[in-house]
Amino acid sequence: MTTETTSTPDPNTNPAPTPNPNPSSLIHPRREPFEHGLLPIPKLIFPDPTPTLIQLKQQLSTHNRVSSSLLADSLQISTDHARLILDTLASVLHSDSDPLVKARPDEVDSVGADLRDLILFLYIQSYKKLLPRTHKDAAAVADVWPSTSAFDGYLSALSPLQLVRSNSRRPSQADEEAHQLSYLKKHMANILSLLAEPVEGEGEGEGEGEGEREREESLVLSMEGFEHLGFLLQFGDKGSEVVTLSQAAPFFANSDPDMPAAPAPATQVHDWISQNIASALEHITERISSKENGPANSSDFDVAMTDACTSSIKTSPGARGSCFIEGISKLSFVKQPSDLKGSSSVKVLNCHDSILYILAPLRYATIYGCSDATIVLGAVGKAVRVEHCERVHVITAAKRVCISNCRECVFFLGVNQRPLMVGDNHKLQVAPYNTFYSELEEHMADVGIDATINRWDETLALGVVDPHDSLSHPAGVPDVQAEPVARVDPDQFTNFLIPNWFGAESPGSTKDNPFQLPEAYLASQQRNIKNLGETKKLLREAPLEENQKRELSSALHLLFKDWLYASGNVRQLYCLQGD
């Protein structure tokens, strides 16, 4: 890998600037790599990642971009896993202009990943998710939820919902952000050493006893290398525009645009980032303290999952472009683009026995802790994650989908990449996409989903134990074969009808499902339509007296009413009646 041959400033005469304490300039972790970028592949989780990745960097130093075949050979992994790494990295990259993000599916293997982004992606595979906090009123929760240990045997003895509710609360956004910042602060010296290069003429023949600080002082970071830290960190708070690291940092602020910027000492960059992280952590601590000691504010960025036994509903804008839909119970609920107020991601938390329509173009979507619900996500251009859900039907058009620790759920998918199965899943089914709404194709085009590609039934399972998730799977337990995912029987496949709230004034042009149905499902659908037509014809032509027609109509009405209540679809009628 080449570096600029410009002069290097002396860190002793150019101390690290003091971070700006203004909340609008606080540093934040990019949540996407931590929420959608962790893969439970054992060969990616190194006991000591720094020396391993330094060796990998040196091994691949002649390649600016790493193809899937080169990655498979270097890490001794399968080509399927190498391709999964590239697809996952593309979904969480900080720059939409990167060639990997823009590549067509048949180009991804050859386009490959930038080596520095790949190294950072592999490094954070060592990250451990934050464990849930003890519940505010653990005794009250224990009276409601089973007290069985979550770790009886070698895997969870509880269902996904019982596990997340058993004597604990899901970490708040502020808790998770503080945990991610603390992780980055602890590992920043190692991360910088992977991005930096030795000062020309130094770094050779160093003594074995040289300390970490001395090694760091012999390294410099180019402006290009520094910008890759934007994969993990950014500036900007809610309500403000996101600022990239290179825009906020003072190191390259006065660089001549016609000349390569002089590299900055890694020690100076480390000190500056560490000070900014410390300032951000102090701010988060103050916010958490004021929230716990003061009245709750539903618009605050610290949006925790609704406590167990609470039936409140929260639909609030969250940190930096996220919208939270929380605590919906026994309702039909609709969100359209105008309702999301510019949010690019949605988190659906703790919703039960409901039908949710989120008909908008999104970058990311998370569904967590829901049960007995149908959730329709419009078009999701980066990634969907469904976690700790039971008896949920999810209908989505998406670039990629990850399903973790779910039971008895059905997924109707229009998905461009293989659906990923992670953790302890049971009795899951998949089926092709089965609905549409008037603006669907427009939303798909906005976020880059290709309707000609649907890999809904090509699921990829990564094993039952997720080393990133200490809640579901304690350390040291053995992995076992994942339970296979079943396809919905074509004879049981039906279309899902989304009500047209706009009527004749519908703004979109989509009139049918944009994903082509597989032959078996299309044939079943055509048989059902034919059978319905024949049944209608028989009823119209049946030689019945008027009183017999009334009795038949009454019987059909009662059967339909019974079905409405048994299936829960009666709620949709109430919703439409209310509109």
Side-chain angles (χ1 to χ4, degrees):
M1 186 178 296
T2 59
T3 58
E4 293 87 342
T5 58
T6 50
S7 61
T8 304
D10 183 352
N12 295 321
T13 60
N14 190 11
T18 301
N20 186 346
N22 189 328
S24 65
S25 298
L26 286 173
I27 201 167
H28 296 275
R30 283 191 68 246
R31 304 182 64 85
E32 294 84 1
F34 297 102
E35 294 181 352
H36 298 278
L38 302 179
L39 295 173
I41 299 175
K43 287 191 176 181
L44 301 188
I45 302 171
F46 313 114
D48 187 0
T50 307
T52 304
L53 293 175
I54 286 176
Q55 182 180 359
L56 180 66
K57 176 184 174 183
Q58 293 169 345
Q59 179 183 345
L60 299 174
S61 60
T62 57
H63 303 271
N64 288 326
R65 303 193 71 85
V66 181
S67 66
S68 60
S69 59
L70 184 59
L71 181 60
D73 291 341
S74 301
L75 295 178
Q76 295 297 297
I77 58 177
S78 68
T79 53
D80 280 347
H81 284 177
R83 174 59 186 260
L84 175 62
I85 291 171
L86 294 186
D87 285 338
T88 305
L89 175 58
S91 73
V92 296
L93 273 175
H94 55 302
S95 173
D96 285 340
S97 62
D98 188 279
L100 182 61
V101 178
K102 299 169 69 175
R104 297 193 304 269
D106 59 347
E107 298 174 335
V108 168
D109 291 319
S110 58
V111 168
D114 183 284
L115 177 58
R116 288 157 295 193
D117 291 332
L118 177 62
I119 291 293
L120 294 181
F121 176 83
L122 293 175
Y123 190 96
I124 66 167
Q125 299 305 312
S126 65
Y127 176 79
K128 294 275 190 182
K129 295 178 182 177
L130 181 62
L131 284 171
R133 296 179 292 177
T134 301
H135 201 280
K136 290 177 181 177
D137 190 355
V141 177
D143 288 339
V144 179
W145 302 111
S147 58
T148 309
S149 168
F151 303 136
D152 284 351
Y154 68 92
L155 288 176
S156 169
L158 304 181
S159 74
L161 285 180
Q162 290 170 334
L163 181 57
V164 299
R165 290 167 169 163
S166 180
N167 299 315
S168 63
R169 292 188 296 143
R170 184 177 185 269
S172 70
Q173 295 296 300
D175 291 331
E176 290 180 343
E177 181 161 315
H179 184 63
Q180 291 160 8
L181 282 175
S182 298
Y183 169 85
L184 291 173
K185 184 179 181 182
K186 177 182 177 182
H187 292 270
M188 187 51 59
N190 292 335
I191 290 170
L192 290 175
S193 73
L194 293 169
L195 292 176
E197 301 292 343
V199 176
E200 189 172 337
E202 299 185 25
E204 297 181 2
E206 304 288 355
E208 290 184 3
E210 182 188 38
E212 180 179 313
R213 185 71 179 185
E214 285 78 7
R215 288 195 299 272
E216 191 178 3
E217 286 177 351
S218 68
L219 298 173
V220 293
L221 206 63
S222 68
M223 181 176 179
E224 184 182 5
F226 180 78
E227 287 175 341
H228 284 274
L229 276 177
F231 176 69
L232 298 172
L233 292 163
Q234 65 187 24
F235 279 84
D237 206 347
K238 70 170 185 176
S240 66
E241 185 177 350
V242 169
V243 179
T244 64
L245 278 184
S246 57
Q247 291 172 315
F251 314 115
F252 313 106
N254 298 319
S255 300
D256 186 337
D258 297 325
M259 295 288 291
T267 52
Q268 185 179 0
V269 177
H270 186 200
D271 290 345
W272 181 77
I273 290 177
S274 296
Q275 291 176 53
N276 274 280
I277 290 178
S279 178
L281 286 171
E282 182 180 353
H283 180 74
I284 292 173
T285 301
E286 292 174 355
R287 293 292 295 271
I288 293 175
S289 176
S290 63
K291 182 178 178 66
E292 289 178 348
N293 298 328
N297 182 356
S298 64
S299 65
D300 190 88
F301 84 109
D302 180 16
V303 182
M305 175 172 282
T306 303
D307 293 341
C309 319
T310 301
S311 60
S312 62
I313 297 173
K314 295 181 182 178
T315 58
S316 57
R320 298 182 303 287
S322 295
C323 176
F324 292 80
I325 299 171
E326 184 174 5
I328 305 295
S329 180
K330 297 184 178 180
L331 291 172
S332 288
F333 181 87
V334 183
K335 282 277 187 181
Q336 300 186 57
S338 59
D339 303 316
L340 298 180
K341 300 177 182 178
S343 295
S344 60
S345 67
V346 163
K347 293 190 175 183
V348 180
L349 309 175
N350 198 32
C351 295
H352 309 287
D353 200 21
S354 298
I355 300 175
L356 283 71
Y357 305 89
I358 306 167
L359 309 181
L362 301 165
R363 290 171 63 85
Y364 299 95
T366 298
I367 301 172
Y368 185 99
C370 297
S371 67
D372 301 289
T374 296
I375 301 171
V376 184
L377 299 173
V380 187
K382 293 291 186 181
V384 174
R385 184 174 181 88
V386 185
E387 191 170 9
H388 290 295
C389 291
E390 293 183 1
R391 298 177 303 281
V392 169
H393 287 199
V394 176
I395 305 172
T396 185
K399 182 70 67 69
R400 61 184 283 113
V401 173
C402 178
I403 299 160
S404 174
N405 300 307
C406 293
R407 290 189 182 184
E408 300 178 47
C409 296
V410 186
F411 299 88
F412 297 86
L413 303 175
V415 61
N416 290 170
Q417 297 174 14
R418 297 180 66 179
L420 187 61
M421 303 293 168
V422 175
D424 193 15
N425 295 300
H426 292 283
K427 298 182 180 179
L428 302 187
Q429 297 182 76
V430 292
Y433 193 73
N434 67 338
T435 193
F436 70 93
Y437 59 95
S438 63
E439 295 179 282
L440 175 58
E441 288 171 302
E442 178 185 337
H443 292 169
M444 289 171 58
D446 286 346
V447 298
I449 297 172
D450 187 348
T452 66
I453 301 173
N454 192 0
R455 307 184 71 178
W456 63 276
D457 60 343
E458 300 176 41
T459 57
L460 177 60
L462 292 185
V464 170
V465 174
D466 183 353
H468 305 106
D469 184 359
S470 300
L471 169 65
S472 301
H473 309 112
V477 300
D479 205 348
V480 295
Q481 186 70 31
E483 183 179 298
V485 178
R487 296 181 182 87
V488 170
D489 187 324
D491 290 335
Q492 302 298 318
F493 178 81
T494 58
N495 288 330
F496 184 84
L497 180 63
I498 297 176
N500 184 357
W501 287 277
F502 293 102
E505 299 178 358
S506 177
S509 59
T510 302
K511 305 297 182 185
D512 203 353
N513 184 349
F515 293 93
Q516 184 174 352
L517 286 177
E519 184 175 344
Y521 291 86
L522 181 61
S524 175
Q525 188 180 71
Q526 291 172 340
R527 284 196 302 272
N528 291 337
I529 293 173
K530 180 181 178 182
N531 291 339
L532 178 62
E534 290 176 350
T535 301
K536 287 181 176 179
K537 182 180 179 182
L538 286 174
L539 290 174
R540 283 195 304 268
E541 296 176 354
L544 299 176
E545 300 292 338
E546 284 300 319
N547 63 325
Q548 293 176 314
K549 289 182 179 181
R550 285 193 296 271
E551 290 175 2
L552 177 61
S553 176
S554 178
L556 291 174
H557 178 79
L558 288 173
L559 289 171
F560 180 63
K561 185 177 179 181
D562 290 343
W563 173 82
L564 281 176
Y565 281 97
S567 65
N569 285 306
V570 69
R571 287 192 302 273
Q572 294 195 69
L573 293 183
Y574 292 144
C575 179
L576 291 173
Q577 188 178 34
D579 291 341

